[in-house]
């Protein structure tokens, strides 16, 4: 049985508002996360990702109240990330309504956290967010942390291989170079990471045209995450799904409204 392609809007949240920029800088307000979550759920999103992008930088936990209110508005899987440092943080988010959690900086600092979360809650709960950029590493891709603000000198391919061995359930691959540019997903990065990942790969960063979504699937992505093209009305989820369906990619139908 062929699995349907998942289209996943991403809500990058800071101070209770959805924001979006280019390469994680020059952020502009995009709306209220609860209202946007409800809209995307109604428009046929397959999942929703909520990332508190300033939680780690500010040294605080993800805002649970916004997570709870968002979860109340959607009836599709909700992934939440930002500021997660330990198993207790994961427990709180799941109790607040998250279906999955996304970790990045804390896992880089202490990779054992991946195994601890997977052992406690199951691999299906855990998404590893890999914010990668082109750099002088063995594979040509480096892992960054703190919302892309800090380099690590860690090779992205080696990191994904290690994370899969530790029990991560999915990889959310964010191209820091392509983020917010609408110039297309980083196909070379997706192809390279797909070659070593033992788990599903979610492509993120650079979506501009409907053809960009198809190109990322051809490169090996199993799911497609996008933000600005949906937030600012460049594309609607149903239109992207119609395009993919007409080009023989398996998609979940959008219910008539």
């Amino acid at each position: 049985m062929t699995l349907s392609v998942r289209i996943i809007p991403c809500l990058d949240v800071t101070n209770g508002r959805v924001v979006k920029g280019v390469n994680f800088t020059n952020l502009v307000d995009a709306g209220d996360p609860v209202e946007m979550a409800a809209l995307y759920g109604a428009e046929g999103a397959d999942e929703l990702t909520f990332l508190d992008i300033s939680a780690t930088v500010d040294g605080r936990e993800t805002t649970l109240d916004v997570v709870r209110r968002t979860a109340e508005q959607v009836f599709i899987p909700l992934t939440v990330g930002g500021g997660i440092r330990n198993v207790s943080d994961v427990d709180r988010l799941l109790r607040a309504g998250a279906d999955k959690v996304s970790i990045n900086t804390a896992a880089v600092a202490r990779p054992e956290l991946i195994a601890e979360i997977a052992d406690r809650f199951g691999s299906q709960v855990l998404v590893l967010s890999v914010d990668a950029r082109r750099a002088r590493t063995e594979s040509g891709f480096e892992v960054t942390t703190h919302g892309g603000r800090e380099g690590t000198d860690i090779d992205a391919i080696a990191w994904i291989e290690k994370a899969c061995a530790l029990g991560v359930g999915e990889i959310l691959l964010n191209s820091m170079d392509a983020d917010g540019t609408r110039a297309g997903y980083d196909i070379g990065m997706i192809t390279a990471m797909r070659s070593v990942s033992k788990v599903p790969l979610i492509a993120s960063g650079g979506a501009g045209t409907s053809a960009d979504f198809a190109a990322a699937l051809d490169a090996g992505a199993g799911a497609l995450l996008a933000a600005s093209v949906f937030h600012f009305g460049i594309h609607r989820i149903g239109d992207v799904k119609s395009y993919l369906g007409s080009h023989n990619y398996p998609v979940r139908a959008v219910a008539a409204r």
Side-chain angles (χ1 to χ4, degrees), residues 29-123:
D29 188 277
D32 177 79
V34 179
E35 293 177 358
M36 294 176 74
L39 173 64
Y40 290 142
E43 286 194 344
D46 299 294
E47 296 186 11
L48 189 70
T49 293
F50 175 110
L51 300 178
D52 190 330
I53 61 173
S54 60
T56 297
V57 176
D58 296 342
R60 60 173 173 79
E61 299 174 354
T62 300
T63 306
L64 292 180
D65 176 62
V66 180
V67 173
R68 289 191 188 96
R69 291 189 290 117
T70 301
E72 290 172 355
Q73 293 297 319
V74 296
F75 303 95
I76 53 178
L78 173 65
T79 299
V80 179
I84 297 170
R85 294 179 292 274
N86 51 52
V87 169
S88 295
D89 291 337
V90 175
D91 186 65
R92 279 190 287 272
L93 287 171
L94 295 177
R95 292 178 185 275
D99 298 286
K100 295 185 278 189
V101 297
S102 174
I103 60 173
N104 180 356
T105 300
V108 172
R110 196 171 67 84
E112 297 80 8
L113 179 61
I114 294 173
E116 291 169 4
I117 295 172
D119 290 345
R120 172 76 179 275
F121 303 104
S123 294

Side-chain angles (χ1 to χ4, degrees), residues 123-227:
S123 294
Q124 78 283 351
V125 161
L126 184 56
V127 179
L128 179 69
S129 182
V130 179
D131 293 340
R133 66 186 178 192
R134 292 178 181 269
R136 293 182 178 178
T137 64
E138 184 174 348
S139 70
F141 301 103
E142 176 195 24
V143 174
T144 69
T145 61
H146 296 82
R149 293 171 176 83
E150 298 185 13
T152 64
D153 293 325
I154 296 173
D155 185 87
I157 278 187
W159 177 226
I160 285 177
E161 289 180 314
K162 184 173 185 176
C164 289
L166 287 168
V168 72
E170 289 185 287
I171 301 293
L172 171 55
L173 180 63
N174 308 302
S175 170
M176 302 306 300
D177 302 309
D179 176 76
T181 65
R182 302 178 199 161
Y185 290 96
D186 190 326
I187 300 304
M189 179 183 289
I190 295 170
T191 302
M193 303 308 155
R194 177 69 269 173
S195 70
V196 300
S197 179
K198 301 293 194 296
V199 298
L201 188 71
I202 306 167
S204 172
T209 68
S210 294
D212 291 337
F213 288 86
L217 295 174
D218 291 340
L224 303 165
L225 183 144

Side-chain angles (χ1 to χ4, degrees), residues 14-20 26-32 36 232:
T14 185
N15 298 320
R17 298 288 293 180
V18 177
V19 295
K20 191 58 191 170
N26 300 319
L27 302 177
V28 297
D29 188 277
D32 177 79
M36 294 176 74
F232 302 121

